[in-house]
Amino acid sequence: MRHIIFLLLSFSVSQLFAQQIRTLSLEECLQIIRSESPNAEIAQYNFEEAENNYQAYQYGLLPQLTLFADVPGLTRSITGITQDDGTTLFQPQSQLFSSANLGFSQALPFTGGRVTLFSGLSNFQLLEDNELSLWRTSPISISYTQPLFQPNRIKFGLENVKARYQLARVSKLQEIEQAAVDLTLTYFDAITSLSELQQAEINVRNNDTIFQISEGRFSVGKIAENELLQSELSLMNARADKQRAELQYEQSLQQLRRLLGMGESQALELVVPEDLPTVNVDPDFAVAQAMKYSRLVQSGKVNALNAEQQVKEARADNRFNADITASFGLNQTGSDLSEAYKNPINQQSFSVGFNLPIFQWGSGKAEVDARLARQKAIIMSQEQAELNFGDDIRYRVLTLDQLRTQLDISARSDTISRKRYTITKNRYLIGKVSIQDLFIAQDERDRARLQHVNNLRNFWVALARLRADTLFDFAKGQPVE
């Protein structure tokens, strides 16, 4: 009965530890990094900032209702008062004043002007004379301001914020996909370390067996002491390699946990992604997708837009430009509030303010030329960057096809080297080959396995980078959402 209970407890404990180990494939890790990881959250916050700025600017173009008020205001000072005989009498005064204005304004993106409708109320009172109290009212007034011969800054602001919003959207997706590239690199760091650890464990067992056999053969005089020492040295090196591989594997797992936002104690079991997706990529199509969605292109649009606006502003500042302001409304005054609203009279205003540089010693022209030169430099740099970017995309597509071929070769080499090592080991055990031949076969097996893992790494990283640059999932044949 005790034995049964012990077996049940042992089974329960083993099941508990088994449940704590989380098996993760590369695809599962990529899903986590794109949706739940710290990198994904940071990219989302950056996008939300740009999205809110875009919405704030759009809302700013809608009608705005604002209340301005000074309630109350107080001044105490010595004021000069002009007398009937023309002299000035200075005496202290205390004034109490208050005002309130309710304004309704609307920006006009098509013209760059602004129209304002407002109503105001104000009161003025001398504290030394309680009977002196004046009210001033403006029941309704409307004004319009229109810049002339100047860039439409409202329209430019709208275009600029739209371009920045598109840039932020693309940047968010590419930041997440770049995190996926980093994750792929880290995942294969762990896979490589795991392969080295597995090979090291096999080598320790094999070299231990070989050393024991060598001791037996040496004791009966079948091998020289040099061969015995060589097998012992190989066993010691294998144990050292195993310890080093264990440390490297744990370090790579720890880095993987951090990227995925997991706890440091989470036990992981990784799966080598041997099943490759079927990917047929047309280089021209990949370049077209990259130019459509790339952060490089969107950033270039923002820079070109800003450069064009700076040229327009420099030209406007160095030629005739004007501002027209016109207003019409009603107003009235009275000693009490009711009188201030009786029989309001008209009030109008109209003004044209202009600016015309006459002589600037050539500074205006130099400023325009400087901004034109900067605009041309930005355009040419962007064109060159896009050409280089397109060439890089084409090269990556061709490299992806080449990596697929190399994977087929390395997979076959891995299988052959394993079989060759098994055959050589069995022949050594029966004394048909030397220990040097066995170690050569072991080294070839290890190198073939690591080469295959490295080719897997290169293929998956190249596919992830192509997806990040084009924002297109070539494995599924659809854009990245």
Side-chain angles (χ1 to χ4, degrees), residues 163-364:
R164 290 186 179 277
Y165 173 73
Q166 292 298 326
L167 174 60
R169 178 180 174 276
V170 170
S171 297
K172 169 195 169 181
L173 294 177
Q174 289 200 321
E175 285 171 8
I176 292 177
E177 292 305 319
Q178 183 57 48
V181 174
D182 297 338
L183 181 279
T184 304
L185 289 167
T186 304
Y187 188 89
F188 272 98
D189 285 343
I191 289 292
T192 302
S193 299
L194 176 60
S195 298
E196 292 177 347
L197 177 59
Q198 292 172 342
Q199 292 298 112
E201 291 174 343
I202 294 173
N203 291 340
V204 168
R205 292 194 298 269
N206 291 341
N207 281 281
D208 184 66
T209 301
I210 292 170
F211 178 65
Q212 293 179 14
I213 293 174
S214 297
E215 282 185 318
R217 290 179 178 178
F218 177 75
S219 63
V220 296
K222 290 186 176 181
I223 62 172
E225 183 180 8
N226 182 57
E227 187 170 338
L228 174 64
L229 294 176
Q230 186 176 359
S231 64
E232 182 180 6
L233 180 62
S234 297
L235 175 59
M236 295 171 61
N237 289 334
R239 289 171 176 170
D241 290 340
K242 178 176 176 293
Q243 291 179 345
R244 183 169 58 253
E246 288 174 342
L247 179 60
Q248 290 178 347
Y249 180 54
E250 183 55 37
Q251 288 178 334
S252 58
L253 281 183
Q254 188 65 15
Q255 180 64 23
L256 184 63
R257 294 188 193 100
R258 290 196 184 100
L259 285 179
L260 297 175
M262 295 181 175
E264 296 183 359
S265 60
Q266 175 66 61
L268 298 177
E269 182 179 351
L270 306 183
V271 180
V272 180
E274 295 279 4
D275 296 332
L276 305 181
T278 301
V279 180
N280 296 316
V281 185
D282 178 67
D284 293 334
F285 177 78
V287 172
Q289 289 296 313
M291 294 303 176
K292 185 177 180 181
Y293 296 110
S294 170
R295 177 165 45 185
L296 171 68
V297 176
Q298 295 297 329
S299 178
K301 291 180 179 179
V302 173
N303 294 335
L305 186 63
N306 289 332
E308 181 183 4
Q309 180 67 13
Q310 289 179 3
V311 171
K312 290 180 178 180
E313 290 182 351
R315 285 173 172 168
D317 291 341
N318 290 279
R319 68 186 181 196
F320 177 82
N321 59 79
D323 289 290
I324 295 178
T325 301
S327 66
F328 173 82
L330 302 174
N331 68 151
Q332 186 57 277
T333 63
S335 59
D336 57 54
L337 185 59
S338 60
E339 291 181 357
Y341 279 101
K342 290 180 180 179
N343 302 319
I345 61 176
N346 295 339
Q347 64 169 356
Q348 303 92 20
S349 69
F350 179 82
S351 66
V352 178
F354 69 89
N355 176 53
L356 177 62
I358 297 177
F359 189 71
Q360 298 176 302
W361 299 94
S363 63

Side-chain angles (χ1 to χ4, degrees), residues 93-105:
Q93 278 190 345
S94 298
Q95 301 175 359
L96 185 65
F97 61 91
S98 58
S99 64
N101 290 276
L102 184 64
F104 175 88
S105 64

Side-chain angles (χ1 to χ4, degrees), residues 63-93:
Q64 307 293 311
L65 185 63
T66 309
L67 175 64
F68 301 93
D70 287 313
V71 183
L74 175 66
T75 60
R76 294 181 184 274
S77 63
I78 297 177
T79 306
I81 301 175
T82 304
Q83 304 299 305
D84 294 338
D85 59 0
T87 61
T88 300
L89 177 64
F90 292 94
Q91 63 181 24
Q93 278 190 345

Side-chain angles (χ1 to χ4, degrees), residues 271-277 404 407 411 414 449 452-453 456 460:
V271 180
V272 180
E274 295 279 4
D275 296 332
L276 305 181
R404 186 62 183 261
L407 267 172
D414 183 36
R449 180 57 187 168
H452 181 60
V453 172
L456 280 172
W460 284 104

